Amino acid sequence: MENEQMFERTVKPVLDVRDKPKPTQWAFLSLQHLFAMFGSTVLVPFLTHLPISAALLASGIGTLIYILITRAKIPAYLGSSFAFITPIITGLSTHSLGDMLVALFMSGLMYVIIGLFIRLSGTGWLMHLLPPVVVGPVIMVIGLSLAPTAVNMAMFENSADMKGYNLSYLLVAMITLIVTIVVQGFFKGFLSLIPVLIGIIVGYIVSIFMGLVKFAPIAQAKWLDFPHIYLPFKDYTPSFHLGLVLVMIPVVFVTVSEHIGHQMVINKIVGRNFFKDPGLDKSIIGDGISTMFASIIGGPPSTTYGENIGVLAITKIYSIYVIGGAAVIAIVLAFIGKFTALISSIPTPVMGGVSILLFGIIAASGLRMIVESNVDFSNNRNLVIASVVLVVGIGNLLINLKGIGVNLQIEGMALSALSGIILNLILPKDKKEEN
């Protein structure tokens, strides 16, 4: 990781990390990053029923927090994390909002603890705990466990109860999905980086013609309005639930592994060793504190966004001022009531259509990690780990200890990640692997 040849710059940047853009270009360059993150960042609160304005505010302020902690040296944008969708949906169905938000806060704190461990002891222990044979299948579980959510949104008027099959919904969802795929596969340049946003726009227009959009809430919304956020002791009472916290911890280890992967890509694109300066520990701690802030106001946990890394690669603009500008715009949008009302008016089949692709991409990215890491499935050890992780996660295996007087429940994705970590630690390696 410390081999400096890995970070040699091969392409001259248009703007380097500390370069300021021209005032006439600044807003446009920042809007590119806003568009790139927007579809995915909004989708998470849409699915989890957390406030969209809180997610935008958390995304913007969280990114500025990250920039501050990393000493304005890493051009990374933070948006809503997909990995926490299932735990949030499941948690809110069985626990109070206070339980869930405290559990999310603790997940951010876990980031900070991991960052401090990395500062003291390096990353070797983390790589030992989370090899590709564990992380790859868990990422697949994240995507595949969300598949029913996407499909139900595409078909049913009441997706939660799978009632009210609607052919119009399915048509809107398929048009949205097809447009998103076409933009992703056939468009060039910057447009190829915002297929989700374009798909949502086209799906929304089609929904208008099919009478699926309700405009009354948009007309009634104020132009300037304080963001819909949840404040502790005002809108909810914080409460600690050990079971929910234990659900989050395995997910945190997986997202930290994803974070490290993103940083490796940014290192190669920008041509600098950010693991060394400002340090991977600061990057992970910045992500964690951003997540802690998001949980305090009722927003979803944050993560560095691959979509924005793609913008860095295609534009060769690495300026931290451009990233910060996108964060400021996101904060401003959170205060525009008609804008958040507009986003809330997007019909569920539109989001269902893009979700089919997005959740599939998450699953496929786990498979890609396994392939690119050359995980050998002729080795029974690897086969056992991956098999257990996949079936436990997709089958949504549940450990419920309430019957024996312990208020603890772990299920699905968290249990699959925990199973993979434990199996990786206890199953013996052959001599060839150890070497």
Side-chain angles (χ1 to χ4, degrees):
M1 191 175 286
E2 297 296 332
N3 184 357
E4 294 301 325
Q5 289 183 345
M6 291 176 57
F7 311 105
E8 290 180 0
R9 178 173 290 166
T10 56
V11 178
K12 184 178 180 181
V14 176
L15 289 174
D16 210 342
V17 175
R18 292 296 181 89
D19 291 344
K20 285 186 179 180
K22 295 179 180 178
T24 54
Q25 299 175 338
W26 197 339
F28 175 74
L29 295 176
S30 293
L31 280 171
Q32 288 187 111
H33 279 279
L34 184 80
F35 290 153
M37 70 84 183
F38 188 82
S40 299
T41 291
V42 169
L43 180 59
V44 176
F46 192 94
L47 293 175
T48 58
H49 302 295
L50 292 174
I52 291 174
S53 54
L56 283 172
L57 190 64
S59 171
I61 294 178
T63 298
L64 295 180
I65 290 172
Y66 179 85
I67 290 172
L68 178 65
I69 291 176
T70 57
R71 297 184 292 184
K73 292 186 176 182
I74 305 178
Y77 193 93
L78 274 60
S80 305
S81 173
F82 275 68
F84 289 89
I85 292 176
T86 299
I88 292 173
I89 293 174
T90 304
L92 287 177
S93 67
T94 55
H95 297 83
S96 70
L97 179 66
D99 287 343
M100 176 54 61
L101 293 180
V102 169
L104 294 178
F105 181 90
M106 296 303 294
S107 72
L109 181 61
M110 190 68 193
Y111 269 86
V112 176
I113 293 171
I114 292 172
L116 293 174
F117 267 110
I118 288 175
R119 177 180 294 181
L120 295 173
S121 58
T123 59
W125 65 275
L126 189 61
M127 297 299 101
H128 177 70
L129 202 63
L130 295 167
V133 71
V134 174
V135 177
V138 171
I139 292 175
M140 293 177 67
V141 167
I142 292 172
L144 295 175
S145 64
L146 290 167
T149 300
V151 171
N152 291 342
M153 288 173 66
M155 294 191 301
F156 298 107
E157 293 180 12
N158 188 342
S159 58
D161 297 328
M162 292 184 289
K163 293 180 180 179
Y165 178 86
N166 192 317
L167 195 59
S168 297
Y169 271 43
L170 185 59
L171 179 61
V172 169
M174 290 302 101
I175 290 174
T176 304
L177 174 62
I178 291 169
V179 169
T180 306
I181 292 172
V182 168
V183 174
Q184 173 72 38
F186 296 98
F187 282 37
K188 303 296 182 182
F190 174 67
L191 291 179
S192 67
L193 296 174
I194 55 170
V196 173
L197 182 64
I198 295 176
I200 290 174
I201 291 172
V202 172
Y204 190 85
I205 293 171
V206 172
S207 298
I208 292 174
F209 284 103
M210 298 186 72
L212 300 179
V213 179
K214 298 178 181 179
F215 291 104
I218 302 174
Q220 294 168 3
K222 300 177 182 178
W223 278 105
L224 292 178
D225 197 9
F226 193 81
H228 180 197
I229 60 177
Y230 296 130
L231 295 176
F233 303 106
K234 179 179 180 294
D235 301 303
Y236 68 93
T237 301
S239 50
F240 182 87
H241 190 281
L242 179 61
L244 274 180
V245 174
L246 292 179
V247 165
M248 298 300 173
I249 290 176
V251 181
V252 168
F253 278 109
V254 174
T255 53
V256 165
S257 178
E258 179 187 41
H259 180 106
I260 293 172
H262 282 168
Q263 290 306 315
M264 292 177 71
V265 175
I266 295 176
N267 287 346
K268 292 178 182 179
I269 291 173
V270 180
R272 293 186 181 178
N273 186 351
F274 294 126
F275 288 130
K276 186 175 180 180
D277 183 23
L280 180 61
D281 58 317
K282 290 185 178 63
S283 182
I284 291 176
I285 289 172
D287 200 339
I289 293 178
S290 174
T291 291
M292 293 164 71
F293 170 77
S295 69
I296 291 174
I297 65 170
S302 62
T303 185
T304 49
Y305 255 30
E307 293 91 333
N308 296 87
I309 295 173
V311 175
L312 295 178
I314 196 170
T315 62
K316 309 297 182 294
I317 295 173
Y318 313 141
S319 172
I320 204 73
Y321 294 98
V322 172
I323 300 292
V328 171
I329 296 173
I331 294 169
V332 171
L333 289 177
F335 285 85
I336 299 178
K338 286 194 180 294
F339 178 80
T340 53
L342 175 67
I343 301 305
S344 299
S345 73
I346 298 174
T348 55
V350 174
M351 289 305 196
V354 296
S355 296
I356 290 173
L357 177 62
L358 286 173
F359 298 159
I361 287 176
I362 293 172
S365 66
L367 181 61
R368 177 183 175 183
M369 173 179 285
I370 292 171
V371 172
E372 292 182 347
S373 301
N374 297 315
V375 176
D376 181 12
F377 282 112
S378 66
N379 184 323
N380 284 336
R381 180 182 186 276
N382 293 336
L383 194 62
V384 167
I385 293 172
S387 299
V388 172
V389 167
L390 289 171
V391 174
V392 168
I394 298 172
N396 199 33
L397 186 66
L398 168 68
I399 293 179
N400 190 340
L401 302 180
K402 293 181 180 179
I404 59 174
V406 180
N407 192 16
L408 177 61
Q409 179 173 304
I410 305 177
E411 62 184 307
M413 182 178 63
L415 190 56
S416 71
L418 191 60
S419 301
I421 291 170
I422 293 173
L423 286 174
N424 176 63
L425 292 175
I426 66 174
L427 289 180
K429 296 181 179 180
D430 59 35
K431 293 182 180 179
K432 185 177 179 180
E433 279 187 289
E434 291 175 349
N435 294 332

